[in-house]
């Protein structure tokens, strides 16, 4: 009996798939490009566990958020403690900052991570129960320049990958005082319309009214048109910070749209928030997002340092690349494919395979002792660059014929010179 993959999950494979975005080469290319941009921006990698104590996410992401209230993969471990597969990375990185007392090693930390996240959402295109994020978290810089720098990093990543038609949405949630004043005025306004709001928004009116701003419901949006705007409630400091973020983005000519309804779905944000959306993704059009979340570190028992970050979903990045036709990544086969005919040749080829690999030359050998024709088919399928066939003659002469698969060109090389030959041709690439 076949066991099906759980719903909302997918594999990323080195073979042809019905879904081109699940091709491993594309993911490897995307991950390598992102890593090199992150390093150019002087960020350093951090790796944190995939599960944590449940209360970490409850306290950071917020009890009333969709993520915590309905989407977490929570289980009791054998010791009776409640654990949760991480739904996002920020909380874990903050926990790790505290566990490792990173503040003792300098006042400014710039961290990045890759990894799977788990959310029990209704599966649909662009929304999975295990998705993968690249994210960054910065600790120790509370300035507008820092906010603009992470937006620049995210935008540069997308540009380097060739993505087009991006919209950078920017907003400020203000400090807690700005938000409390806004919330009071906003709820006062909405009070008249509660029964007309969508079910979701009615629920949010009780639990997390700011999230109503995010509603996609057409009628909710109509009601929101006349609602008070967050911008009108920003304190002087919050407003100056937000202006300065925009100036920094203007200096580097990074296009953005101030979007006063952008609030994000996690509770820890304050001040600057942003999201990058792609026109080519359908309903789940948010490629990545983040913002400032000062106060979280302290709330988790750490030092009172300012914090900001973002995360981007890699599924959505590779899907947008495919939809925009910028994902032509060719799979590379081994440099050399060895075919041995007969026992004696098998031993020579196996020794040679070992030597070549130890010298860093990517090669593969036909190990099932197939006949010549199926072995050649295999070399073709693997997209090997060169093929060589060893028989008793080659062993006797200690020479092999290398065939370049692209054009059939042949060259005879002494076996003892093969390693040097490949090393030389590699240094010309
Ligand atoms: P988030 O907006 O919840 O933020 O997720 C970041 C990105 O992950 C989204 O923009 C989207 O591309 C992707 N994503 C989220 N859920 C799914 C899903 N179910 N399937 C596929 N992709 C998904 C955070 O997680 C914050 N921790 C970001 C952050 C870091 N803020 C500050 N620092």
């Amino acid at each position: 009996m076949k066991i099906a993959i759980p719903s909302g999950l997918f594999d990323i494979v080195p073979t042809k798939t019905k879904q081109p975005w699940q091709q491993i080469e594309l993911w490897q290319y995307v991950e390598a490009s992102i890593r090199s941009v992150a390093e150019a921006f002087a960020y350093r990698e951090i790796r944190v566990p995939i599960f944590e104590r449940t209360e970490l996410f409850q306290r950071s992401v917020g009890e009333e958020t969709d993520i915590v209230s309905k989407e977490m993969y929570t289980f009791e471990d054998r010791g009776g403690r409640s654990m949760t597969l991480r739904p996002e990375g920020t909380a874990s990185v903050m926990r790790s900052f505290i566990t490792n007392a990173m503040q003792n090693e300098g006042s400014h930390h710039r961290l990045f991570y890759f990894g799977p996240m788990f959310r029990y959402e209704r599966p649909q295109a662009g929304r999975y129960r295990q998705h993968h994020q690249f994210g960054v978290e910065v600790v120790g810089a509370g300035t507008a320049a820092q906010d603009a720098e992470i937006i620049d990093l995210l935008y540069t990543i997308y540009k380097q990958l060739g993505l087009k038609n991006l919209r950078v949405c920017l907003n400020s949630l203000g400090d807690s005082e700005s938000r409390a004043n806004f919330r009071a005025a906003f709820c006062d306004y909405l009070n008249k319309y509660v029964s007309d709001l969508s079910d979701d928004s009615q629920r949010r009116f009780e639990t997390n009214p700011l999230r109503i701003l995010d509603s996609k419901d057409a009628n909710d949006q109509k009601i929101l048109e006349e609602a008070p705007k967050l911008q009108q409630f920003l304190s002087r400091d919050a407003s100056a910070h937000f202006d300065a973020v925009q100036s920094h983005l203007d200096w580097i000519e990074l296009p953005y749209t101030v979007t006063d309804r952008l609030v994000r779905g996690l509770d820890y944000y304050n001040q600057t928030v942003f999201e990058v959306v792609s026109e080519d993704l359908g309903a789940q059009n948010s490629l990545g997002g983040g913002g400032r979340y000062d106060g979280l570190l302290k709330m988790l028992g750490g030092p009172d340092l300012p914090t900001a970050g973002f995360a981007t979903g890699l599924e959505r990045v590779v899907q947008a690349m495919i939809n925009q036709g910028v994902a032509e990544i060719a799979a590379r086969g081994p440099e050399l494919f060895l075919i041995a005919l007969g026992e004696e040749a098998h031993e020579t080829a196996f020794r040679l395979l070992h030597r070549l690999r130890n010298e860093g030359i990517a090669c593969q050998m036909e190990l099932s002792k197939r006949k010549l024709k199926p072995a050649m088919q295999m070399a073709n399928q693997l997209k090997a660059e060169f093929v060589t066939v060893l028989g008793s003659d080659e062993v006797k002469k200690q020479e092999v014929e290398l065939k370049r698969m692209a054009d059939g060109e042949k060259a005879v090389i002494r076996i003892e010179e093969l390693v040097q030959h490949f090393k030389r041709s590699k240094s010309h690439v």
Side-chain angles (χ1 to χ4, degrees), residues 42-58:
Y43 281 70
R44 297 175 68 195
E45 187 173 5
I46 180 167
R47 298 189 186 187
V48 291
I50 275 174
F51 66 90
E52 299 268 359
R53 290 173 190 270
T54 301
E55 59 179 304
L56 174 67
F57 302 113
Q58 287 170 333

Side-chain angles (χ1 to χ4, degrees), residues 67 87-90 113 119 121 126-129 131 133 136-137 264 266 268-269 275 286-291 293 308-313 315-316:
I67 294 180
E88 60 106 47
T90 311
Y113 51 89
R119 298 183 190 179
E121 298 196 79
R127 191 180 268 176
Y128 306 94
R129 290 188 172 162
H131 73 279
Q133 289 187 357
V136 311
E137 313 296 345
R264 311 261 313 128
L266 303 92
Y268 46 58
Y269 293 111
E275 218 159 85
S286 165
L287 272 176
Y293 51 93
F310 68 73
T312 177
E315 291 71 13
R316 294 186 192 175

Side-chain angles (χ1 to χ4, degrees), residues 334-382:
E335 286 171 72
L336 176 64
F337 190 77
L338 298 156
I339 302 170
L341 304 173
E343 277 311 315
E344 206 187 355
H346 181 84
E347 181 187 330
T348 308
F350 198 76
R351 286 174 188 273
L352 188 57
L353 181 76
H354 176 78
R355 260 182 53 216
L356 286 160
R357 286 173 168 170
N358 274 269
E359 294 293 337
I361 294 147
C363 51
Q364 192 169 333
M365 179 176 157
E366 201 295 294
L367 296 173
S368 314
K369 303 193 176 167
R370 287 188 174 86
K371 294 219 163 60
L372 185 59
K373 200 166 157 207
M376 283 303 277
Q377 277 167 353
M378 195 176 158
N380 264 320
Q381 211 170 37
L382 287 169

Side-chain angles (χ1 to χ4, degrees), residues 185-373:
F186 186 57
C187 290
D188 198 39
Y189 167 83
L190 281 184
N191 242 325
K192 300 183 281 246
Y193 303 101
V194 177
S195 53
D196 301 328
L197 289 171
S198 64
D199 291 350
D200 253 2
S201 292
Q202 289 196 20
R203 192 171 44 79
R204 283 177 172 153
F205 185 74
E206 301 301 328
T207 57
N208 197 355
L210 257 59
R211 283 300 311 274
I212 296 175
L213 288 169
D214 238 9
S215 171
K216 305 266 189 297
D217 181 272
N219 193 46
D220 288 357
Q221 292 198 356
K222 214 148 85 223
I223 295 171
L224 290 171
E225 273 168 23
E226 300 293 318
K229 304 266 179 283
L230 243 165
Q231 305 299 315
Q232 302 158 344
F233 292 82
L234 292 187
S235 65
R236 278 245 305 269
D237 284 355
S239 193
H241 184 96
F242 192 42
D243 286 347
V245 173
Q246 294 176 59
S247 301
H248 280 78
L249 296 176
D250 293 339
W251 296 339
I252 54 171
E253 290 170 22
L254 194 153
Y256 58 87
T257 315
V258 174
T259 312
D260 57 24
R261 293 212 193 134
L262 177 66
V263 286
R264 311 261 313 128
L266 303 92
D267 276 358
Y268 46 58
Y269 293 111
N270 56 19
Q271 307 273 22
T272 317
V273 288
F274 57 93
E275 218 159 85
V276 181
V277 299
S278 162
E279 312 293 339
D280 302 287
L281 272 177
Q284 303 305 318
N285 67 352
S286 165
L287 272 176
R292 180 156 288 290
Y293 51 93
D294 302 331
L296 180 59
L297 202 50
K298 181 160 180 243
M299 195 258 275
L300 293 173
D304 189 9
L305 293 169
T307 37
F310 68 73
T312 177
L314 299 182
E315 291 71 13
R316 294 186 192 175
V317 168
V318 293
Q319 286 171 4
M321 287 172 71
I322 287 183
N323 295 347
Q324 297 189 352
V326 294
E328 287 309 313
I329 314 298
R332 279 194 65 171
E335 286 171 72
L336 176 64
F337 190 77
L338 298 156
I339 302 170
L341 304 173
E343 277 311 315
E344 206 187 355
H346 181 84
E347 181 187 330
T348 308
F350 198 76
R351 286 174 188 273
L352 188 57
L353 181 76
H354 176 78
R355 260 182 53 216
L356 286 160
R357 286 173 168 170
N358 274 269
E359 294 293 337
I361 294 147
C363 51
Q364 192 169 333
M365 179 176 157
E366 201 295 294
L367 296 173
S368 314
K369 303 193 176 167
R370 287 188 174 86
K371 294 219 163 60
L372 185 59
K373 200 166 157 207

